[in-house]
Amino acid sequence: MNEQVFTYAAPGLKFGRGASAEIGWDLANLGAKRVLVVTDPGVAAAGHVDRVASAITSTGIEAVVFDRTRVEPTDVSLAEAVAFGRTEGPFDAIVAVGGGSAIDTAKAVNLMVTNDGELMDYINAPVGGGRAPAQPLLPLVAVPTTTGTGSESTTIGV
């Protein structure tokens, strides 16, 4: 008999008009003092990142912005984001603002700023090394600007 019952444990989800304005309070409750905000150029140009960063800094938390996430990320764009996170860190939390590409890039950066090696070390075998993270990841808060990918409701990156 094959397994027919599954459990899916989603991260906590906050939604509704004005929910993103509470991000500074949420991050402060996580103990964050300095966060990395990961987004893409289009979301940044639309002003969404400025609004979120302002809500973060209004609580005394420093927000460092990486706005070069590529839509449909590649290994090269992920490596650039990871290098930025490693160089500009340390951080207490990661914030993703945008669609699935920004959120998944933030997940990869989170893994790689808390653990050594290369991203392919952690990709499931047989494609990657199948290595488990040795260190816990930082809190990640996602502020989705699109619907459909569901990346904000999962712990995996695609």
Side-chain angles (χ1 to χ4, degrees):
M1 182 168 173
N2 293 332
E3 184 70 31
Q4 296 180 9
V5 177
F6 303 91
T7 300
Y8 174 76
L13 300 173
K14 178 187 283 194
F15 56 93
R17 185 176 296 268
S20 64
E22 297 182 0
I23 193 167
W25 185 84
D26 294 329
L27 290 164
N29 283 335
L30 293 170
K33 302 288 185 214
R34 188 166 191 265
V35 301
L36 174 61
V37 179
V38 178
T39 191
D40 66 62
V43 171
H48 300 304
V49 175
D50 291 339
R51 183 177 46 79
V52 171
S54 178
I56 293 169
T57 59
S58 71
T59 59
I61 299 170
E62 182 183 356
V64 177
V65 176
F66 176 80
D67 62 0
R68 296 187 306 271
T69 295
R70 181 176 171 188
V71 176
E72 301 302 335
T74 64
D75 56 342
V76 173
S77 71
L78 290 173
E80 179 186 5
V82 167
F84 181 91
R86 285 179 168 170
T87 300
E88 298 298 321
F91 300 102
D92 304 307
I94 309 288
V95 174
V97 182
S101 295
I103 297 170
D104 286 348
T105 296
K107 291 174 185 178
V109 170
N110 193 358
L111 173 65
M112 300 313 301
V113 299
T114 54
N115 289 274
D116 65 355
E118 302 297 322
L119 188 57
M120 285 303 292
D121 296 338
Y122 299 94
I123 303 295
N124 289 340
V127 175
R131 181 173 161 191
Q135 301 300 319
L137 277 63
L138 300 171
L140 186 139
V141 178
V143 181
T145 59
T146 60
T147 61
T149 67
S151 187
E152 72 280 0
S153 66
T154 69
T155 58
I156 60 167
V158 178

